[in-house]
């Protein structure tokens, strides 16, 4: 359903891709006929990065885009409904300028909802945003360093608690030369 929506909508319109995927999933899974308590919904975030225009377009279905940059953290909230949720969602594109000093991150709820040594306390979006912002404030070391830091923080937070869900984290940055305006071709 997702591949078909991308082919039909094109990659530059994440909100349209989410809406088309949602319609297809609802039809395939017969959402209106499924039994209560059956979980067939899907959280997803999509971002289209346009290096030539130095911008990105984000839309999410229960997935947010977290941004860390020297001026402070920013959060672009995804839609409140997952794809194929009982109630149809609305998905909107949010266009942002790419900043080579920033780090961009999306995460599934498996990380955010992870329990730790303190009962009732989850890892949470705030903790993730603080880690991301601290990484950015440290002069933007390699994102592999951030992955090691995040893994260590999650392991310390969990203690003996088992992982309760799958984890997926996407973090990226762009460098100055990727966002620079291409030089015109020399005359022949």
């Amino acid at each position: 359903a997702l591949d078909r929506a991308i082919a039909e909508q094109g990659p530059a319109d994440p909100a349209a891709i989410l809406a088309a995927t949602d319609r297809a999933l609802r039809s395939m899974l017969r959402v209106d006929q499924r039994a209560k308590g059956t979980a067939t919904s899907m959280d997803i975030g999509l971002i289209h990065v346009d290096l030539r225009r130095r911008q990105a377009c984000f839309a999410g279905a229960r997935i947010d885009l977290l941004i860390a940059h020297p001026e402070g953290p920013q959060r672009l909230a995804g839609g409140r409904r997952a794809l194929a949720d009982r109630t149809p969602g609305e998905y909107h594109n949010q266009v942002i300028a790419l900043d080579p000093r920033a780090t961009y991150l999306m995460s599934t709820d498996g990380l955010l909802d992870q329990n730790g040594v303190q009962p009732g306390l989850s890892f949470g979006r705030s903790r993730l945003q603080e880690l991301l912002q601290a990484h950015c404030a440290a002069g933007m070391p390699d994102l592999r360093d951030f992955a090691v830091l995040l893994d260590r923080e999650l392991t310390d937070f969990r203690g003996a608690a088992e992982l309760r869900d799958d984890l997926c984290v996407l973090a990226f940055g762009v460098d100055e030369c990727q966002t620079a305006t291409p030089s015109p071709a020399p005359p022949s």
Side-chain angles (χ1 to χ4, degrees):
L2 182 60
D3 288 342
R4 185 174 184 174
I6 293 169
E8 290 172 356
Q9 302 300 319
D13 191 347
I17 294 167
L18 292 178
T21 303
D22 185 53
R23 286 190 300 275
L25 290 174
R26 287 177 175 291
S27 173
M28 290 181 340
L29 299 173
R30 298 189 177 127
V31 170
D32 55 334
Q33 299 173 11
R34 72 176 175 215
K36 286 191 178 200
T38 304
T40 57
S41 62
M42 178 173 70
D43 299 352
I44 183 171
L46 298 175
I47 187 164
H48 179 263
V49 176
D50 186 335
L51 294 174
R52 175 170 278 165
R53 291 187 176 154
R54 300 181 196 184
Q55 67 183 24
C57 183
F58 166 77
R62 296 190 46 85
I63 298 277
D64 298 336
L65 177 64
L66 303 179
I67 306 166
H69 47 76
E71 288 79 35
Q74 182 180 0
R75 175 179 157 240
L76 300 182
R80 294 177 41 178
R81 300 279 182 200
L83 299 184
D85 199 353
R86 236 180 227 296
T87 304
E90 292 184 19
Y91 311 107
H92 304 282
N93 287 327
Q94 299 177 65
V95 178
I96 56 170
L98 289 172
D99 185 342
R101 303 168 301 156
T103 301
Y104 305 86
L105 182 142
M106 288 187 283
S107 171
T108 60
D109 64 351
L111 173 62
L112 304 179
D113 296 344
Q114 177 60 48
N115 288 333
V117 292
Q118 288 183 280
L121 181 64
S122 63
F123 192 80
R125 183 182 299 113
S126 296
R127 184 185 316 269
L128 180 58
Q129 183 79 62
E130 288 171 11
L131 282 173
L132 186 63
Q133 192 63 37
H135 167 77
C136 183
M140 296 286 294
D142 193 300
L143 281 172
R144 289 174 288 214
D145 297 337
F146 177 71
V148 170
L149 171 68
L150 179 58
D151 183 55
R152 184 174 55 238
E153 288 289 327
L154 180 60
T155 300
D156 291 348
F157 177 82
R158 278 186 28 230
E162 291 187 31
L163 279 176
R164 56 182 284 193
D165 200 352
D166 59 306
L167 305 177
C168 183
V169 177
L170 169 72
F172 69 94
V174 295
D175 63 29
E176 193 66 46
C177 66
Q178 289 176 313
T179 60
T181 305
S183 302
S188 42

